[in-house]
Amino acid sequence: MNISLCIATYCRPERLTVLLDDLVHQEHLPNEVVVVDNDATGSARAVVERRRVLGAPFPIQYDIQPVKNISLTRNRTVTLASGDWIAFIDDDERAPAAWLKQLTETVIRYSADGALGPVVPIVPTDAPSWIRHGRFYEWARMKTGAIIPLNKLRFGNVLLRGALLRDTQTPFDPDYGLTGGEDGDMLGRLVQQGARIVWCDEAVVHEPVEPARLSLRWLLLRALRGGQDFARHRLTGRFGHLTSTGRARLFLRALLQSAIAIGLALLSWPRGQHRAVYWLLKASANLGKMSIFLGWHYREYEGKLT
């Protein structure tokens, strides 16, 4: 399989360094690696040049996309990629040696157009106990070969047939470029067009959780954005046609569920902070759904609500 491995990066030179080190040891090597830097100053250039000097068993393309927008940056990686298949991995993840091989074997075995794998968080041992007990950074996992539900589609560890992404000049919608959610939107559109995307539970990558994310505030805002992503996708028909009645039900259900979650958070607090935070995150996600009806968007990559 001719594979281009794409990395969108922004101001993470240390993380990018170790990721590139991982990639040279893959059991199934990519045919090329494409790095697109969303930092206009080119902070990743030295990292790529270092890897080239040390040597790599594949060419590494490097480019800068200066406008702060994750969608434009990912789109640039697709434009530069020449492979029949395109893999994506985030710049803060670690890839075990068998990772890409396991993704390729899965798309072949299940005659799929793409495969997603788990991103396993590495929580620091000195993180607050409620964070370590809460497992807030983990995603649901499935049996290898399972078709992934629309509301579980996400990025960070994925291999896709390149032709699916080249059917449009903007596979990732720039409207999601500052809020996030561009990955679920793009994958959802591919599935609606008939793409078969399956799960590969063996193709694990690891994501060290950054200190800035070890806080209730960060978790609440991420849950809020997740709720907003769901509502945006629902309202635009990603999960099927939505009538006016369906829109009203979506809002009222989110209102009811947020109220219930807040009540359960208060009741759960004596049994452990992590249990209460679980319900607070549910409340925040439902508040996010409602906020879309008011035209509010949390721009995660700018750190503000507009």
Side-chain angles (χ1 to χ4, degrees), residues 187-267:
L187 291 170
R189 280 185 279 117
L190 293 184
V191 170
Q192 286 182 320
Q193 294 163 11
R196 175 180 170 85
I197 301 178
V198 301
W199 185 256
C200 177
D201 202 54
E202 295 80 16
V204 173
V205 299
H206 299 95
E207 180 182 37
V209 180
E210 299 176 359
R213 298 183 176 185
L214 299 172
S215 70
L216 178 58
R217 180 180 183 276
W218 187 91
L219 289 167
L220 288 171
L221 288 173
R222 174 52 68 94
L224 179 82
R225 202 212 80 185
Q228 290 186 335
D229 288 348
F230 176 86
R232 292 175 74 181
H233 296 162
R234 190 78 178 90
L235 293 173
T236 55
R238 290 289 172 266
F239 306 141
H241 178 67
L242 192 66
T243 63
S244 298
T245 301
R247 292 169 64 94
R249 287 176 178 170
L250 175 63
F251 182 88
L252 292 174
R253 187 182 299 116
L255 178 62
L256 177 61
Q257 290 177 339
S258 62
I260 292 173
I262 290 172
L264 289 172
L266 294 173
L267 292 173

Side-chain angles (χ1 to χ4, degrees), residues 256-296:
L256 177 61
Q257 290 177 339
S258 62
I260 292 173
I262 290 172
L264 289 172
L266 294 173
L267 292 173
S268 301
W269 197 275
R271 299 178 58 225
Q273 186 177 350
H274 65 289
R275 301 180 191 276
V277 170
Y278 171 86
W279 289 110
L280 287 176
L281 298 181
K282 294 291 186 183
S284 185
N286 281 288
L287 289 172
K289 296 174 189 178
M290 291 187 290
S291 70
I292 290 299
F293 286 87
L294 302 175
W296 296 348

Side-chain angles (χ1 to χ4, degrees), residues 9-10 35-39 42-45 62-66 73:
T9 188
Y10 179 73
V35 178
V36 175
D37 195 345
N38 199 197
D39 179 5
S43 58
R45 185 187 301 276
Y62 174 79
D63 196 14
I64 296 175
Q65 193 292 109
T73 307

Side-chain angles (χ1 to χ4, degrees), residues 118-132:
V119 178
V120 176
I122 306 299
V123 178
T125 56
D126 60 351
S129 60
W130 63 269
I131 283 182
R132 287 185 280 107

Side-chain angles (χ1 to χ4, degrees), residues 8 17 31 57 68 88 92 109 130 132 134 143 147 157 166 195 197 204 219 232 244 248 260 265 273 285 288 301:
T17 296
N31 294 79
K68 192 171 185 180
F88 295 87
D92 59 345
R109 183 183 309 124
W130 63 269
R132 287 185 280 107
K143 182 180 178 181
I147 299 294
N157 178 0
R166 297 187 177 105
I197 301 178
V204 173
L219 289 167
R232 292 175 74 181
S244 298
I260 292 173
Q273 186 177 350
Y301 298 114

Side-chain angles (χ1 to χ4, degrees), residues 54-70:
L54 291 175
F58 41 70
I60 306 175
Q61 293 196 62
Y62 174 79
D63 196 14
I64 296 175
Q65 193 292 109
V67 179
K68 192 171 185 180
N69 187 299
I70 184 62

Side-chain angles (χ1 to χ4, degrees), residues 63-82:
D63 196 14
I64 296 175
Q65 193 292 109
V67 179
K68 192 171 185 180
N69 187 299
I70 184 62
S71 295
L72 295 178
T73 307
R74 292 196 193 278
N75 286 339
R76 184 60 181 158
T77 67
V78 173
T79 298
L80 294 173
S82 61

Side-chain angles (χ1 to χ4, degrees), residues 1-3 83-88 103-116 145-148 153 155 157-167 186-187 189-200:
M1 295 175 67
N2 187 314
I3 301 173
D84 297 326
W85 291 82
I86 301 178
F88 295 87
L103 284 177
T104 59
E105 290 176 346
T106 296
V107 295
I108 293 171
R109 183 183 309 124
Y110 295 96
S111 301
D113 297 301
L116 272 65
I147 299 294
I148 303 170
L153 293 167
F155 244 50
N157 178 0
V158 59
L159 175 66
L160 295 169
R161 195 181 299 276
L164 297 175
L165 300 172
R166 297 187 177 105
D167 281 345
M186 185 275 287
L187 291 170
R189 280 185 279 117
L190 293 184
V191 170
Q192 286 182 320
Q193 294 163 11
R196 175 180 170 85
I197 301 178
V198 301
W199 185 256
C200 177

